[in-house]
Amino acid sequence: MKRLRLLLTVMVALAMVSTAYAGTLADVKAKGFVQVGVNGDLFGFGKPDEKGVWKGLDVDTGRAIAAAVFGDANKIKFIPLTAVTRFTALQSGEIDVLCRNATRTLTRETSMGLNFVQVNYYDGQGFLVPKALGVKSAKELDGAAVCVLPGTTTELNVADYFRASGLKMKPVVIENTAELSKAFFAGRCDCLTSDASQLAGARAVAPKPDDYIILPEIISKEPLAPAVRHGDDQWYDIVNFSVLAMINAEELGITSKNVDAMLKSTDPKVQRFLGVTPGNGAALGLDEKFAYNVVKQVGNYGEVFERNVGMDSPLKIERGLNALWTKGGLMYSPPFK
């Protein structure tokens, strides 16, 4: 009898966990906008411009979700978060989705109660140093003062790298991304370590960008992806396929400029994707034109990448791992059917 009661208790607890955060779509629709956690200080990914307009790859990912849900990419509220507060904000329900250059890891997917969707940027951790330091390799950083964000995979990675390499370091830990960069450029540390994309963003807005170099070593894998809470499969699916819609559109050759013309395509894959042939929208609980709205209002993945971090941006980052699978990269979408 005791064993039966224990089993029932466990089953009830699991049911409560699985339904605790169900209904995010209904909550979002009731509010009339999506609350998206972003960086706020990272050029190219999440940062307001001089006019206060939010821009960046993660910002556009959030806008894609709003376009899918509402048919309007502007029905969105951006919540700037630090590396320390980002996951708590998601767990507590302060935000609906986290689009803040967060690395997918085992512990975050399990003990922290998060689910990461399709990766929107494949990255790796590197090192930014002043050219005047005369360093050509991370192996030459023995005894260096290293600026690093707390509460990140970056902090653990750099400690592991120095220990494994038999090197010593002096960590300079500052929670805020902007303040950490200021400390580095002010000379408080010899080196700034973070995801290579973040280093490129920091260098792009430095007082004298040409005075700094990113060292060749990449010491980790950092699959960056939006995250949602455990327990709401429908919301997970919506966020996941909002990201995948941008990737699939690029695969199909559909852009924000030709998407209207593509509505007349006789290709069955294009018809299903754009909602001319119904089914995909209903499966997600969205309008049949959800993918059309994403591409029309935000663009395909290639467009989003290039204008924010690629060769059309000040960062000038090559596609690399973020190219389509047909071009040697890792970006790959399952069929929309």
Short mmCIF file of all heavy atoms in Angstrom, two decimals, residues 46-79:
data_model
loop_
_atom_site.label_atom_id
_atom_site.label_comp_id
_atom_site.label_asym_id
_atom_site.label_seq_id
_atom_site.Cartn_x
_atom_site.Cartn_y
_atom_site.Cartn_z
N GLY A 46 22.24 41.39 -29.99
CA GLY A 46 21.13 41.97 -29.23
C GLY A 46 21.54 43.28 -28.59
O GLY A 46 22.15 43.28 -27.52
N LYS A 47 21.17 44.40 -29.25
CA LYS A 47 21.58 45.70 -28.74
C LYS A 47 20.77 46.79 -29.46
O LYS A 47 20.62 46.73 -30.69
CB LYS A 47 23.07 45.92 -28.98
CG LYS A 47 23.65 47.22 -28.43
CD LYS A 47 25.14 47.30 -28.75
CE LYS A 47 25.75 48.63 -28.34
NZ LYS A 47 25.79 48.76 -26.87
N PRO A 48 20.26 47.78 -28.73
CA PRO A 48 19.57 48.88 -29.41
C PRO A 48 20.59 49.77 -30.14
O PRO A 48 21.71 49.96 -29.67
CB PRO A 48 18.90 49.65 -28.27
CG PRO A 48 19.02 48.78 -27.06
CD PRO A 48 20.21 47.91 -27.27
N ASP A 49 20.19 50.31 -31.31
CA ASP A 49 21.08 51.22 -32.01
C ASP A 49 20.96 52.62 -31.41
O ASP A 49 20.29 52.81 -30.37
CB ASP A 49 20.80 51.23 -33.51
CG ASP A 49 19.40 51.75 -33.87
OD1 ASP A 49 18.73 52.33 -33.00
OD2 ASP A 49 18.97 51.55 -35.02
N GLU A 50 21.59 53.61 -32.05
CA GLU A 50 21.59 54.96 -31.49
C GLU A 50 20.20 55.58 -31.43
O GLU A 50 19.96 56.54 -30.70
CB GLU A 50 22.54 55.86 -32.31
CG GLU A 50 22.14 56.04 -33.78
CD GLU A 50 22.59 54.89 -34.65
OE1 GLU A 50 23.21 53.94 -34.12
OE2 GLU A 50 22.33 54.95 -35.87
N LYS A 51 19.24 55.02 -32.18
CA LYS A 51 17.86 55.51 -32.16
C LYS A 51 16.97 54.68 -31.24
O LYS A 51 15.77 54.91 -31.17
CB LYS A 51 17.29 55.51 -33.58
CG LYS A 51 18.01 56.46 -34.54
CD LYS A 51 17.38 56.42 -35.93
CE LYS A 51 18.11 57.34 -36.89
NZ LYS A 51 17.52 57.29 -38.26
N GLY A 52 17.57 53.72 -30.57
CA GLY A 52 16.81 52.88 -29.66
C GLY A 52 16.13 51.70 -30.31
O GLY A 52 15.34 51.00 -29.66
N VAL A 53 16.43 51.45 -31.58
CA VAL A 53 15.83 50.32 -32.30
C VAL A 53 16.65 49.07 -32.03
O VAL A 53 17.87 49.04 -32.24
CB VAL A 53 15.78 50.60 -33.82
CG1 VAL A 53 15.21 49.39 -34.55
CG2 VAL A 53 14.97 51.84 -34.11
N TRP A 54 15.98 48.01 -31.55
CA TRP A 54 16.68 46.77 -31.25
C TRP A 54 17.12 46.08 -32.53
O TRP A 54 16.34 45.93 -33.46
CB TRP A 54 15.77 45.83 -30.46
CG TRP A 54 15.66 46.19 -29.02
CD1 TRP A 54 14.73 47.00 -28.44
CD2 TRP A 54 16.52 45.77 -27.97
NE1 TRP A 54 14.95 47.11 -27.09
CE2 TRP A 54 16.05 46.36 -26.78
CE3 TRP A 54 17.65 44.94 -27.91
CZ2 TRP A 54 16.66 46.15 -25.55
CZ3 TRP A 54 18.26 44.72 -26.69
CH2 TRP A 54 17.76 45.32 -25.52
N LYS A 55 18.38 45.64 -32.55
CA LYS A 55 18.93 44.96 -33.72
C LYS A 55 19.82 43.80 -33.30
O LYS A 55 20.37 43.80 -32.20
CB LYS A 55 19.71 45.93 -34.59
CG LYS A 55 18.85 46.99 -35.27
CD LYS A 55 19.66 47.85 -36.23
CE LYS A 55 18.76 48.84 -36.95
NZ LYS A 55 19.53 49.69 -37.90
N GLY A 56 19.96 42.82 -34.19
CA GLY A 56 20.85 41.70 -33.92
C GLY A 56 20.25 40.38 -34.36
O GLY A 56 19.04 40.27 -34.62
N LEU A 57 21.08 39.37 -34.45
CA LEU A 57 20.64 38.06 -34.88
C LEU A 57 19.65 37.46 -33.89
O LEU A 57 18.64 36.87 -34.29
CB LEU A 57 21.86 37.14 -35.07
CG LEU A 57 21.60 35.78 -35.71
CD1 LEU A 57 22.77 35.38 -36.61
CD2 LEU A 57 21.39 34.68 -34.67
N ASP A 58 19.91 37.60 -32.60
CA ASP A 58 18.98 37.09 -31.60
C ASP A 58 17.69 37.91 -31.58
O ASP A 58 16.60 37.36 -31.35
CB ASP A 58 19.63 37.10 -30.22
CG ASP A 58 20.64 35.99 -30.03
OD1 ASP A 58 20.51 34.94 -30.69
OD2 ASP A 58 21.57 36.16 -29.22
N VAL A 59 17.81 39.20 -31.80
CA VAL A 59 16.63 40.07 -31.88
C VAL A 59 15.74 39.63 -33.03
O VAL A 59 14.51 39.50 -32.89
CB VAL A 59 17.06 41.54 -32.04
CG1 VAL A 59 15.88 42.42 -32.46
CG2 VAL A 59 17.65 42.07 -30.74
N ASP A 60 16.35 39.38 -34.19
CA ASP A 60 15.56 38.93 -35.35
C ASP A 60 14.96 37.55 -35.13
O ASP A 60 13.88 37.24 -35.64
CB ASP A 60 16.43 38.93 -36.61
CG ASP A 60 16.56 40.33 -37.21
OD1 ASP A 60 15.78 41.22 -36.81
OD2 ASP A 60 17.44 40.53 -38.07
N THR A 61 15.64 36.71 -34.35
CA THR A 61 15.07 35.41 -34.00
C THR A 61 13.79 35.61 -33.18
O THR A 61 12.77 34.95 -33.42
CB THR A 61 16.08 34.56 -33.21
OG1 THR A 61 17.25 34.36 -34.01
CG2 THR A 61 15.49 33.21 -32.84
N GLY A 62 13.83 36.53 -32.23
CA GLY A 62 12.63 36.85 -31.45
C GLY A 62 11.53 37.42 -32.33
O GLY A 62 10.35 37.09 -32.16
N ARG A 63 11.91 38.27 -33.27
CA ARG A 63 10.92 38.86 -34.18
C ARG A 63 10.28 37.78 -35.06
O ARG A 63 9.09 37.87 -35.40
CB ARG A 63 11.58 39.94 -35.03
CG ARG A 63 12.03 41.16 -34.23
CD ARG A 63 12.71 42.21 -35.10
NE ARG A 63 11.76 42.82 -36.01
CZ ARG A 63 11.84 42.74 -37.34
NH1 ARG A 63 12.84 42.08 -37.91
NH2 ARG A 63 10.94 43.33 -38.10
N ALA A 64 11.06 36.77 -35.42
CA ALA A 64 10.51 35.67 -36.22
C ALA A 64 9.42 34.93 -35.43
O ALA A 64 8.40 34.52 -35.99
CB ALA A 64 11.62 34.71 -36.63
N ILE A 65 9.65 34.75 -34.14
CA ILE A 65 8.66 34.07 -33.30
C ILE A 65 7.38 34.90 -33.23
O ILE A 65 6.27 34.37 -33.35
CB ILE A 65 9.23 33.83 -31.88
CG1 ILE A 65 10.46 32.92 -31.95
CG2 ILE A 65 8.16 33.24 -30.96
CD1 ILE A 65 11.30 32.91 -30.69
N ALA A 66 7.52 36.21 -33.07
CA ALA A 66 6.34 37.09 -33.03
C ALA A 66 5.60 37.06 -34.36
O ALA A 66 4.36 37.05 -34.40
CB ALA A 66 6.76 38.52 -32.68
N ALA A 67 6.34 37.04 -35.46
CA ALA A 67 5.72 36.98 -36.78
C ALA A 67 4.94 35.69 -36.96
O ALA A 67 3.85 35.67 -37.54
CB ALA A 67 6.79 37.12 -37.87
N ALA A 68 5.50 34.59 -36.46
CA ALA A 68 4.83 33.29 -36.56
C ALA A 68 3.55 33.27 -35.74
O ALA A 68 2.52 32.74 -36.18
CB ALA A 68 5.77 32.18 -36.12
N VAL A 69 3.59 33.83 -34.54
CA VAL A 69 2.46 33.77 -33.62
C VAL A 69 1.36 34.77 -34.00
O VAL A 69 0.17 34.43 -34.02
CB VAL A 69 2.92 34.02 -32.17
CG1 VAL A 69 1.72 34.13 -31.23
CG2 VAL A 69 3.84 32.89 -31.71
N PHE A 70 1.77 36.00 -34.27
CA PHE A 70 0.80 37.08 -34.47
C PHE A 70 0.66 37.54 -35.93
O PHE A 70 -0.25 38.32 -36.23
CB PHE A 70 1.19 38.30 -33.63
CG PHE A 70 1.08 38.10 -32.15
CD1 PHE A 70 2.21 37.98 -31.36
CD2 PHE A 70 -0.16 38.02 -31.53
CE1 PHE A 70 2.11 37.80 -29.98
CE2 PHE A 70 -0.27 37.84 -30.16
CZ PHE A 70 0.87 37.73 -29.39
N GLY A 71 1.59 37.11 -36.79
CA GLY A 71 1.60 37.67 -38.13
C GLY A 71 2.16 39.08 -38.12
O GLY A 71 2.02 39.83 -39.09
N ASP A 72 2.81 39.46 -37.02
CA ASP A 72 3.35 40.81 -36.85
C ASP A 72 4.63 40.71 -36.03
O ASP A 72 4.59 40.46 -34.82
CB ASP A 72 2.33 41.70 -36.14
CG ASP A 72 2.76 43.16 -36.05
OD1 ASP A 72 3.96 43.45 -36.29
OD2 ASP A 72 1.91 44.01 -35.73
N ALA A 73 5.77 40.94 -36.68
CA ALA A 73 7.07 40.81 -36.01
C ALA A 73 7.29 41.87 -34.95
O ALA A 73 8.21 41.75 -34.12
CB ALA A 73 8.19 40.88 -37.04
N ASN A 74 6.47 42.90 -34.93
CA ASN A 74 6.65 43.99 -33.97
C ASN A 74 5.87 43.79 -32.67
O ASN A 74 5.99 44.60 -31.75
CB ASN A 74 6.24 45.32 -34.61
CG ASN A 74 7.16 45.71 -35.76
OD1 ASN A 74 8.38 45.59 -35.64
ND2 ASN A 74 6.58 46.14 -36.86
N LYS A 75 5.09 42.72 -32.60
CA LYS A 75 4.36 42.44 -31.36
C LYS A 75 5.29 41.69 -30.41
O LYS A 75 5.17 40.48 -30.17
CB LYS A 75 3.08 41.65 -31.65
CG LYS A 75 2.03 42.51 -32.34
CD LYS A 75 0.68 41.83 -32.37
CE LYS A 75 -0.38 42.79 -32.91
NZ LYS A 75 -1.74 42.19 -32.91
N ILE A 76 6.22 42.46 -29.86
CA ILE A 76 7.31 41.86 -29.10
C ILE A 76 7.82 42.86 -28.08
O ILE A 76 7.76 44.08 -28.28
CB ILE A 76 8.45 41.43 -30.06
CG1 ILE A 76 9.48 40.54 -29.37
CG2 ILE A 76 9.11 42.64 -30.71
CD1 ILE A 76 10.42 39.86 -30.37
N LYS A 77 8.30 42.34 -26.95
CA LYS A 77 8.92 43.18 -25.92
C LYS A 77 10.25 42.56 -25.56
O LYS A 77 10.31 41.39 -25.17
CB LYS A 77 8.03 43.29 -24.68
CG LYS A 77 8.62 44.19 -23.59
CD LYS A 77 7.67 44.29 -22.40
CE LYS A 77 8.25 45.22 -21.33
NZ LYS A 77 7.34 45.32 -20.15
N PHE A 78 11.32 43.32 -25.71
CA PHE A 78 12.65 42.81 -25.41
C PHE A 78 13.02 43.13 -23.97
O PHE A 78 12.88 44.26 -23.50
CB PHE A 78 13.68 43.43 -26.37
CG PHE A 78 13.48 43.02 -27.80
CD1 PHE A 78 13.01 43.94 -28.73
CD2 PHE A 78 13.73 41.73 -28.22
CE1 PHE A 78 12.81 43.58 -30.05
CE2 PHE A 78 13.52 41.35 -29.53
CZ PHE A 78 13.06 42.28 -30.45
N ILE A 79 13.51 42.11 -23.27
CA ILE A 79 13.92 42.24 -21.87
C ILE A 79 15.43 42.00 -21.80
O ILE A 79 15.89 40.86 -21.97
CB ILE A 79 13.21 41.23 -20.96
CG1 ILE A 79 11.69 41.24 -21.19
CG2 ILE A 79 13.56 41.48 -19.50
CD1 ILE A 79 11.02 42.53 -20.81
#
